[in-house]
Amino acid sequence: MTAPSLTVREQLTELAGNIWWSWQPDVLALFEELNPAVFAASNNNPLQALAQPSPGILHGESYGERVNEAYARFRAYIDGPGRYQDAPAVAYFCMEYGLHESLPLYSGGLGVLAGDHTKAASDLGLRFTGIGLMLREGYFRQFFDASGRQQEAYPPIDLNFAPLKVVTGDDGEAITVSVTIGRTEVKLQAWELNVGRSTLYLLDTNVEGNPDSLRTLTSKLYQGGNEQRIQQEIILGIGGLRFLRAIGAETDVFHMNEGHCAFLGLELIRERMIAGDSKAEAEAWVRENSVFTTHTPVKAGHDRFSPALFNAAMTGFRDELGFGEQELLAYGRVDANEPGEFFTMTVLGLRLSRQANGVSELNGEVARRQWTELYPSKTVAPIGHITNGVHLPTWTAAPAKAFAETKFGAYGLDRMDAGYWAGVDNVPDEALWELRTRMRRRLIDYINRILPTSSFPMEAKLDPEALTIGFARRFATYKRAPLFFADLERALQLFAQEERPIQLIYAGKAHPHDEGGKDFIQQILQLTEHPILSGKLIFLENYSMETGRFLTSGCDVWLNNPRRPMEASGTSGQKVAMHGGLNVSILDGWWPEGYTAAAGKENGWPIGHDASADIKDAALQDAEDVKFLHDVFANEVIPTFYDRDERGLPIRWINRMRNAMRSLPWDFSAARMVSDYVEQLYALETV
């Protein structure tokens, strides 16, 4: 290898400045070795570890060689060609991005999906620019009081140790743009975050000269009421486009990911009309160059603003556009002529996009039913679907990645192809079961390490050989986290089987204003003290991407029991198959597409068999589903796990592992997902 022109520290500094490291386990290990204690205490932050290296480590010959190799691989990745380098350039707008636990810019699935989309776009060489908010205080840090009630703290991101930099002009000064909220001019700057070959710009109102009340506008995610929400959405959609114009970012397609950013369409109309287009011409241009993704399957869940609030917040922008109050409100109303109808951001996004999609086949069906009245001239609402996928390099644990590379070949872009994963058919049963056992033990070691720091005392008596079930996600009430215990007597019967032990690990946060979600967490925490459940039922505090990685890789079963059809897609269950894990799930979101019941090809289990898009009475559906859930565990899951041959191997279980590994990772990868977006939504006639 040619001697590098940069020192080891300089190479590490450049590596730390691009979160490409977040999907490179060996590179993260290099930073961890610098100072393991600091690395762990900082939520695995490379810049923190680099600031306090252990004496002598930077001068070690072996360490330096590994840094040289990692840096060379990084440069080859950044400078190399990409599969979609000639595709249209995309500007992607989203309220949140889940990229790594050291950057808490996310609350849950929407953000993690956006982060995975950004990373996969980088892997595929797509010219991709993301726009979001500079959430200095992120979502929140979760802890509990003595009764098990969730509490929230908001530790700010230490910008001295974050891979972010303010975007500046040639004069070295921060580039700023302005938007008008009401009649108040608000200045924005942006922080640049490099995600491999993709770039994110995070908008920030903490700029000198802004009113104090607005300087913190972008600091927290989904906090405050509708007044703060609409203000944040003005910043994201209108301010985001103005910032892209200020830096001259090349864009062919504008992708609005959920309704939070749909004001982008109105700003594009304003631009076109200033350039001389008529209103009709401007609208047509915006539709031709914009696409929209909806995730929300219930109308009440969409951002909706009263006419009074909308008019108050958009007064200045409306004056810039030259529209009347009702004229502007019409863009966000199903019935444009109904003066009392609220302004709905999803309606705005649908009206001003050439194509729209849900995020699973079932979610697309739900969206078409939901918005039929918006398209009175059409038999079916023109909303398709592209099913979500996960960024496999981010979510594949290092031991599983090493296993795949040993058994199937290099873990490159071939991982999105079915042929790569078909190699599992040549892997001996013993090797597959050894992987599963290793991943389970790794999870239990992690839980034993972090549980003593929990604010709610809990004792772990986890068995490294027992069937381990995981449930980790946002504690929105429709996800029904405690459904397993809705029939407590039967749940206790399942836990009490000493010869066939089970253990269940929970993690998740409830929105600070969601008292129902907090009730669910409190209920589970109190159940951890039940004599039969103690030590076997665990709740992990302060759910993060790190927690998610350990759980999805370590659990034998991934449990998902939302109230159908309210799960738009869900991606956590897509992260388990490459680790030999199996899904036990309601047929909602992505699972109707992933599950197969074909004889000999079963790759998990459904809870019940109804994949209808109809919403049933909640009490009726909950009662049915808890019975289905307990039946599948008692009659299928537990017996299959514990039915062993003469070698001590659960052959029927291993066969399902093999089927899951063969059928799911490639088809539900973010690489496949982004490829679908490029070929179905982003593609232009010139491509």
Side-chain angles (χ1 to χ4, degrees):
M1 181 182 297
T2 304
S5 58
L6 300 178
T7 66
V8 169
R9 178 181 283 278
E10 289 170 337
Q11 290 179 79
L12 287 170
T13 299
E14 187 173 340
L15 286 170
N18 185 316
I19 63 168
W20 173 80
W21 47 256
S22 68
W23 66 95
Q24 307 295 327
D26 59 325
V27 179
L28 270 173
L30 288 171
F31 287 108
E32 183 177 17
E33 287 178 45
L34 288 170
N35 192 323
V38 167
F39 187 78
S42 63
N43 286 321
N44 307 326
N45 186 330
L47 284 165
Q48 289 273 27
L50 183 57
Q52 302 176 62
S54 301
I57 189 170
L58 293 175
H59 304 292
E61 182 177 351
S62 173
Y63 184 82
E65 289 175 353
R66 285 186 291 138
V67 172
N68 292 343
E69 187 279 329
Y71 182 78
R73 197 168 80 243
F74 168 70
R75 290 307 331 166
Y77 174 92
I78 295 297
D79 300 331
R83 180 176 297 183
Y84 289 124
Q85 62 187 16
D86 297 323
V90 176
Y92 181 92
F93 286 63
C94 190
M95 183 72 84
E96 54 176 298
Y97 292 85
L99 299 159
H100 188 258
E101 57 269 16
S102 62
L103 283 174
L105 307 171
Y106 61 96
S107 69
L110 176 68
V112 172
L113 178 279
D116 282 8
H117 193 118
T118 304
K119 293 173 181 178
S122 170
D123 290 343
L124 293 165
L126 183 65
R127 292 175 294 159
F128 182 95
T129 304
I131 292 288
L133 299 182
M134 182 57 225
L135 301 162
R136 293 168 180 264
E137 297 179 19
Y139 194 41
F140 63 88
R141 185 191 181 285
Q142 177 192 58
F143 64 100
F144 304 108
D145 64 19
S147 72
R149 196 71 179 174
Q150 176 183 288
Q151 306 296 312
E152 299 90 28
Y154 295 88
I157 295 172
D158 188 340
L159 296 178
N160 294 312
F161 298 103
L164 299 160
K165 61 181 180 182
V166 173
V167 182
T168 58
D170 293 337
D171 59 0
E173 296 297 318
I175 294 174
T176 61
V177 297
S178 297
V179 299
T180 305
I181 296 176
R183 293 201 178 279
T184 302
E185 182 180 346
V186 182
K187 290 184 179 179
L188 316 174
Q189 63 182 4
W191 297 74
E192 181 179 327
L193 176 61
N194 294 310
V195 185
R197 293 183 282 199
S198 300
T199 305
L200 292 184
Y201 294 106
L202 304 176
L203 307 171
D204 184 11
T205 59
N206 190 10
V207 176
E208 187 174 350
N210 282 339
D212 289 344
S213 61
L214 295 177
R215 289 188 69 159
T216 59
L217 179 58
T218 56
S219 64
K220 291 181 183 178
L221 183 61
Y222 305 140
Q223 299 298 295
N226 273 350
E227 182 176 4
Q228 183 170 342
R229 177 67 65 88
I230 196 172
Q231 291 173 351
Q232 286 187 331
E233 294 179 358
I234 290 169
I235 299 296
L236 180 62
I238 298 172
L241 180 61
R242 291 181 182 181
F243 184 80
L244 287 180
R245 299 309 194 203
I247 63 173
E250 180 183 7
T251 304
D252 298 313
V253 178
F254 297 92
H255 185 170
M256 297 174 279
N257 190 39
E258 194 54 281
H260 310 308
C261 50
F263 285 138
L264 163 66
L266 296 179
E267 174 65 5
L268 286 168
I269 287 175
R270 189 189 71 85
E271 281 190 345
R272 298 302 300 178
M273 292 182 68
I274 288 175
D277 283 358
S278 68
K279 178 183 176 184
E281 290 170 336
E283 291 173 351
W285 186 94
V286 174
R287 291 190 190 98
E288 181 59 28
N289 291 277
S290 304
V291 298
F292 178 75
T293 298
T294 177
H295 300 249
T296 307
V298 178
K299 275 196 174 181
H302 297 271
D303 285 352
R304 301 169 70 248
F305 303 114
S306 70
L309 175 59
F310 178 86
N311 284 327
M314 295 291 283
T315 298
F317 179 80
R318 189 180 64 248
D319 290 347
E320 293 179 53
L321 197 56
F323 284 8
E325 288 185 358
Q326 298 304 314
E327 189 178 12
L328 192 59
L329 278 163
Y331 283 102
R333 288 172 164 167
V334 174
D335 183 350
N337 299 313
E338 172 50 57
E341 184 179 335
F342 277 32
F343 186 97
T344 301
M345 296 297 285
T346 299
V347 173
L348 174 62
L350 291 169
R351 284 194 186 281
L352 294 179
S353 56
R354 70 167 183 245
Q355 287 182 274
N357 69 287
V359 291
S360 68
E361 185 175 1
L362 180 58
N363 182 236
E365 179 184 344
V366 171
R368 287 189 291 276
R369 292 188 185 190
Q370 188 178 114
W371 298 111
T372 297
E373 58 187 331
L374 188 60
Y375 304 94
S377 65
K378 297 182 182 295
T379 305
V380 178
I383 302 172
H385 80 274
I386 292 177
T387 301
N388 285 346
V390 299
H391 188 241
L392 295 180
T394 292
W395 295 102
T396 304
K401 179 183 178 184
F403 179 90
E405 292 190 325
T406 300
K407 305 298 184 182
F408 314 148
Y411 206 60
L413 282 181
D414 286 343
R415 63 185 176 260
M416 67 179 279
D417 297 328
Y420 178 84
W421 294 96
V424 73
D425 290 337
N426 301 318
V427 178
D429 293 338
E430 293 88 347
L432 280 175
W433 190 241
E434 191 281 330
L435 171 67
R436 179 84 300 277
T437 301
R438 181 180 180 187
M439 299 312 303
R440 186 188 319 109
R441 290 175 176 172
R442 179 176 176 267
L443 168 62
I444 291 173
D445 288 344
Y446 171 74
I447 293 172
N448 288 336
R449 185 170 74 247
I450 68 169
L451 202 60
T453 66
S454 176
S455 58
F456 189 88
M458 222 175 305
E459 182 181 4
K461 302 174 186 175
L462 299 173
D463 180 348
E465 305 301 325
L467 174 63
T468 302
I469 307 162
F471 183 105
R473 48 186 55 84
R474 284 189 307 116
F475 263 62
T477 51
Y478 78 86
K479 295 177 184 283
R480 301 186 299 183
L483 187 68
F484 197 99
F485 301 99
D487 182 342
L488 183 57
E489 181 179 356
R490 195 164 182 207
L492 293 176
Q493 289 173 0
L494 293 174
F495 271 90
Q497 300 179 69
E498 294 184 6
E499 71 283 3
R500 292 182 168 184
I502 65 172
Q503 49 205 17
L504 176 51
I505 319 299
Y506 279 99
K509 295 178 178 179
H511 187 282
H513 300 154
D514 182 1
E515 297 303 322
K518 290 183 178 183
D519 289 344
F520 280 176
I521 294 175
Q522 189 171 24
Q523 178 183 342
I524 292 167
L525 283 171
Q526 291 172 351
L527 282 169
T528 65
E529 299 178 320
H530 191 285
I532 292 177
L533 302 175
S534 178
K536 301 175 184 178
L537 176 63
I538 303 295
F539 193 103
L540 300 181
E541 183 174 289
N542 199 38
Y543 180 42
S544 70
M545 288 182 69
E546 179 184 44
T547 313
R549 289 195 304 273
F550 273 96
L551 285 168
T552 54
S553 63
C555 289
D556 301 299
V557 164
W558 197 251
L559 178 60
N560 187 37
N561 44 235
R563 187 175 293 121
R564 185 190 310 108
M566 298 177 68
E567 186 75 273
S569 173
T571 58
S572 60
Q574 298 172 350
K575 300 163 187 170
V576 303
M578 55 275 206
H579 304 101
L582 298 176
N583 280 274
V584 176
S585 177
I586 295 287
L587 284 166
D588 197 11
W590 74 281
W591 190 229
E593 299 166 63
Y595 171 65
T596 176
K601 295 185 179 180
E602 302 94 335
N603 59 359
W605 286 273
I607 300 172
H609 299 281
D610 181 7
S612 167
D614 295 326
I615 298 177
K616 296 181 181 179
D617 174 81
L620 175 63
Q621 186 168 340
D622 290 357
E624 289 180 353
D625 287 346
V626 71
K627 182 180 185 304
F628 288 140
L629 188 159
H630 287 150
D631 284 348
V632 75
F633 272 97
N635 302 327
E636 296 285 339
V637 179
I638 296 173
T640 303
F641 186 85
Y642 283 107
D643 179 16
R644 307 296 170 95
D645 70 3
E646 65 279 1
R647 298 168 295 173
L649 299 177
I651 297 302
R652 290 191 297 143
W653 188 276
I654 292 170
N655 286 340
R656 288 194 188 236
M657 286 173 53
R658 199 185 303 275
N659 293 338
M661 196 174 285
R662 184 195 311 110
S663 62
L664 298 177
W666 65 274
D667 202 19
F668 296 95
S669 70
R672 186 276 309 154
M673 174 186 70
V674 172
S675 293
D676 285 353
Y677 274 103
V678 171
E679 294 167 13
Q680 297 177 32
L681 262 69
Y682 299 160
L684 302 173
E685 292 181 359
T686 56
V687 176

